[in-house]
Amino acid sequence: MTIHNVVRRAALAASVFTAAVAAVTVQAATSSAGLPACAAGQFDLRIQKPAVDDPNRPDQFDVILANNGPACTVQGFPGVDLTGPDDPTYGPTYSLPRQSVAAQPLTVQPNQAVASILTYQPGNWVPGTLVVTVPDTTTQLHVPWPAGVGVLRQDGATHPGTYIGPLAPL
């Protein structure tokens, strides 16, 4: 085999590999339903107590994202921060860790909502605002934290009792 044939075969293999990578990249950019990823601006954010309050479960809130735009897809966990008065040890922002479970891709139709369960340990620190970042975006949505509801800060804990769950259908 001549050096010319070796170079030609290497070039052909490289072009086949590049085409395969491009095809995978295009498929990853759109969902299986062909819908775009949800943008933060198409959601209205609210927080409420779960419809069924189980006294055997920790304290929880539903963090609800209601779609006021076109159908889209979302997957993962929202970024969630509680902001409030300055804590002398940790500062004014408590970034919640994520629950260690898998998240499923979701299609969110117009006027439908998805929710994430925020589980918290009651405590003395009372945040003023819930700040949510929709998965795969950087835009933050804000709503007031329920008045008088205190949270135990566990910044840096290895097994915190305060955390956010994955988005799920509401």
Side-chain angles (χ1 to χ4, degrees):
M1 183 179 287
T2 67
I3 190 73
H4 178 71
N5 285 343
V6 170
V7 170
R8 221 171 72 193
R9 285 185 180 188
L12 178 61
S15 66
V16 169
F17 176 76
T18 301
V21 169
V24 168
T25 303
V26 169
Q27 288 174 352
T30 59
S31 72
S32 60
L35 296 173
C38 296
Q42 71 188 86
F43 285 116
D44 290 325
L45 172 65
R46 70 181 189 272
I47 184 173
Q48 67 186 34
K49 281 302 233 178
V52 177
D53 196 14
D54 183 348
N56 297 318
R57 292 171 56 193
D59 291 313
Q60 297 178 330
F61 283 109
D62 288 333
V63 176
I64 300 168
L65 295 168
N67 185 9
N68 59 24
C72 60
T73 62
V74 67
Q75 178 176 353
F77 295 77
V80 176
D81 294 329
L82 300 176
T83 61
D86 194 25
D87 179 272
T89 304
Y90 302 114
T93 302
Y94 181 17
S95 296
L96 301 188
R98 294 175 174 156
Q99 185 179 19
S100 37
V101 297
Q104 301 300 317
L106 303 170
T107 297
V108 190
Q109 297 296 330
N111 302 313
Q112 287 187 332
V114 291
S116 183
I117 297 173
L118 187 156
T119 301
Y120 68 97
Q121 294 294 314
N124 295 331
W125 186 71
V126 180
T129 306
L130 173 77
V131 181
V132 172
T133 306
V134 176
D136 300 320
T137 72
T138 57
T139 302
Q140 295 181 324
L141 306 173
H142 301 79
V143 293
W145 180 255
V149 177
V151 175
L152 175 64
R153 297 262 321 235
Q154 298 174 300
D155 302 63
T158 56
H159 294 88
T162 299
Y163 52 86
I164 191 71
L167 287 169
L170 185 62

